[in-house]
Amino acid sequence: MPDLACLNGRIIRIEDALVPIEDRGYQFGDAVYEFIESFDFHIFCLDEHLKRLQDSMNLLDFPSVSIPVLKDDIINLFTLSEYARAGCYLQVSRGVEPRAHCYTNKVLPQITMTIKNLAFLDPSVNIKGIRIRTCEDYRWGMCHIKTVQLLPAALEQHKARKTGLADTVFVSKEGHVLEGTCANTFIIKGQSLITHPLDNHILPGITRDVIINRICRKEKITILERPYDIHEFYQADEAFLCSTVMKIQPIIEADGKKIGAGIPGPLTNKIQAFYDQLVYHS
């Protein structure tokens, strides 16, 4: 089966999917997106992804899009792909019209999707853990909106990978640890999880929400949503990154400093096990 795309509701081969050059997503970064995965043919957290997409569009004053129709198109694309583990990239731009900073009320959203087969994650990452670097945050001030304006994240992830590290974590000018280039960040002190509260500095991650509301609340694991600084990060007992793509990846070193014992910790491993149960058996 060739890789497929969906362009404004029409299923086509990915190599045949073309968008107009005056698409505002291409010229202004005026677009929002989601990345949705399936495991053993089960689409994980589809409704949650669509709600966040709708929230992003509302915050940017996008024209309305039918979420039920969009959901049907996504399910159809996953079904036609026949991939047991697949990743669907969904992007909604404000639309196409002659280039101008000020958009009109006549522009119609442009909806594109692609779906590809995904390899299963290397389990050794969870056993060995990952090493990361940090940098001062220089992204735009509305990181709670999932837009395609990802250049700082792309640059900083590239810098990390060039030096053999897994990712870069952004730190505010005030010294607060925010999030990775494409993942939320948690630390553990004792038996408590700590993560930055939802605000305009971080993305409301789907995996973050699953950990807080479907794992920690249910399993009576203490969760604290509060700012924490870089020194508390370095001195944490455990730490991890989490996202749809990364799942839960233990951080064993940050900026050359060992986190905790320098190995994935017991509470991180416990949360990983609960998360895997949800992903593969829910």
Side-chain angles (χ1 to χ4, degrees):
M1 171 67 68
D3 287 329
L4 299 174
C6 182
L7 180 58
N8 295 320
R10 185 167 60 96
I11 304 290
I12 52 179
R13 292 163 59 97
I14 196 168
E15 56 266 31
D16 298 327
L18 304 173
V19 296
I21 198 166
E22 290 192 307
D23 187 305
R24 289 184 61 87
Y26 172 68
Q27 295 188 331
F28 290 98
D30 193 0
V32 296
Y33 79 100
E34 289 290 330
F35 188 78
I36 304 159
E37 288 194 25
S38 66
F39 301 87
D40 294 336
F41 300 101
H42 169 69
I43 305 173
F44 190 61
C45 287
L46 177 55
D47 289 334
E48 290 85 347
H49 280 284
L50 289 174
K51 181 185 182 303
R52 184 172 63 182
L53 181 77
Q54 182 69 75
D55 290 343
S56 294
M57 290 190 292
N58 290 344
L59 288 166
L60 293 177
D61 191 31
F62 269 34
S64 63
V65 168
S66 172
I67 296 300
V69 171
L70 191 55
K71 182 176 180 178
D72 287 344
D73 287 342
I74 293 168
I75 293 171
N76 188 32
L77 195 60
F78 271 101
T79 302
L80 290 173
S81 77
E82 300 180 350
Y83 296 139
R85 180 163 188 254
C88 174
Y89 176 80
L90 161 64
Q91 179 173 307
V92 181
S93 79
R94 192 179 300 275
V96 180
E97 60 182 3
R99 188 183 187 281
H101 282 70
C102 184
Y103 50 87
T104 72
N105 293 328
K106 297 178 181 179
V107 66
L108 297 175
Q110 179 98 341
I111 303 171
T112 57
M113 287 181 256
T114 59
I115 193 160
K116 294 188 177 183
N117 192 28
L118 295 180
F120 285 89
L121 293 175
D122 181 358
S124 68
V125 172
N126 293 340
I127 297 170
K128 297 177 181 177
I130 60 173
R131 294 172 170 82
I132 61 100
R133 62 190 285 273
T134 65
C135 79
E136 185 174 299
D137 191 17
Y138 59 95
R139 302 168 299 165
W140 81 316
M142 299 177 72
C143 295
H144 60 303
I145 305 175
K146 196 171 176 69
T147 76
V148 299
Q149 299 178 34
L150 298 172
L151 186 56
L155 290 171
E156 294 305 326
Q157 189 175 100
H158 181 70
K159 289 177 185 177
R161 298 290 173 86
K162 275 202 312 182
T163 56
L165 303 174
D167 201 11
T168 298
V169 168
F170 291 105
V171 179
S172 73
K173 291 179 174 60
E174 296 75 27
H176 295 143
V177 176
L178 300 175
E179 61 184 352
T181 61
C182 58
N184 292 118
T185 308
F186 284 76
I187 62 170
I188 296 171
K189 295 288 287 184
Q191 292 299 304
S192 297
L193 265 69
I194 305 169
T195 191
H196 195 282
L198 293 180
D199 60 16
N200 62 299
H201 299 297
I202 70 166
L203 186 74
I206 303 300
T207 306
R208 176 189 185 278
D209 182 71
V210 168
I211 291 169
I212 291 172
N213 292 305
R214 295 174 63 180
I215 296 177
C216 290
R217 308 270 190 234
K218 180 181 177 182
E219 301 299 329
K220 310 300 183 187
I221 298 170
T222 301
I223 177 75
L224 304 173
E225 295 181 74
R226 64 164 176 81
Y228 58 95
D229 65 23
I230 189 67
H231 303 292
E232 192 172 5
F233 183 52
Y234 292 149
Q235 294 164 9
D237 297 324
E238 306 175 40
F240 61 84
L241 294 178
C242 67
S243 73
T244 296
V245 174
M246 298 179 75
K247 308 299 175 283
I248 296 170
Q249 296 196 4
I251 300 170
I252 61 169
E253 183 182 291
D255 296 329
K257 298 175 176 62
K258 186 168 67 173
I259 302 296
I263 58 174
L267 189 49
T268 300
N269 291 337
K270 181 179 180 180
I271 292 167
Q272 281 179 322
F274 284 128
Y275 186 79
D276 287 344
Q277 280 290 115
L278 288 172
V279 166
Y280 292 104
H281 303 291
S282 63

